[in-house]
Amino acid sequence: QVQLVESGGGLVQPGGSLRLSCAASGPIRSINNMGWYRRAPGKERELVAVISSDGRTNYVDSVKGRFTISRDNAKNTVYLQMNSLNLEDTAVYYCNADSIRTSTWYTYANVWGTGTLVTVSS
């Protein structure tokens, strides 16, 4: 069994910062791409940022320059540093891994965390 668990969400004022973490657990050998998605009230889920196993990144335009995705392969963890938060960033943030290879060489595809809530409010 493999699992993704997000943490770091909470209530923050506009202009503030939060750092989200997503830790993968289980008998993991390697993880391919990891990403952060979010679903805001009244909106569809969108891809916020993605990072490849070798560190290549992409971001949705609305967060470029404000958010930074990173990963620690030794810890099987991906992070999302969120700065200059605004009201439109309020959402449930979900972690995703497109492929997780286990110690038995079995591969899990499209693994999701259960989400962490970020609320930006004054």
Side-chain angles (χ1 to χ4, degrees), residues 86-122:
N86 56 56
L87 300 181
E88 290 70 42
D89 295 317
T90 295
V92 177
Y93 285 73
Y94 300 90
C95 178
N96 174 267
D98 70 345
S99 181
I100 301 176
R101 185 161 62 92
T102 70
S103 59
T104 63
W105 246 257
Y106 182 83
T107 298
Y108 290 85
N110 199 28
V111 183
W112 289 89
T114 57
T116 185
L117 177 63
V118 172
T119 302
V120 184
S121 177
S122 60

Side-chain angles (χ1 to χ4, degrees), residues 26-99:
I28 297 170
R29 294 187 70 89
S30 63
I31 304 175
N32 195 30
N33 299 314
M34 302 188 76
W36 288 95
Y37 291 72
R38 67 184 180 186
R39 179 171 289 163
K43 295 184 177 181
E44 297 181 354
R45 176 180 287 176
E46 67 173 347
L47 177 63
V48 178
V50 64
I51 184 167
S52 67
S53 59
D54 60 359
R56 293 169 293 169
T57 61
N58 282 291
Y59 301 88
V60 67
D61 286 344
S62 61
V63 309
K64 288 181 179 178
R66 300 190 297 121
F67 291 10
T68 302
I69 188 171
S70 61
R71 65 190 289 168
D72 185 337
N73 290 334
K75 296 181 178 180
N76 293 319
T77 300
V78 64
Y79 307 94
L80 186 67
Q81 178 66 47
M82 303 184 295
N83 299 325
S84 301
L85 286 162
N86 56 56
L87 300 181
E88 290 70 42
D89 295 317
T90 295
V92 177
Y93 285 73
Y94 300 90
C95 178
N96 174 267
D98 70 345
S99 181

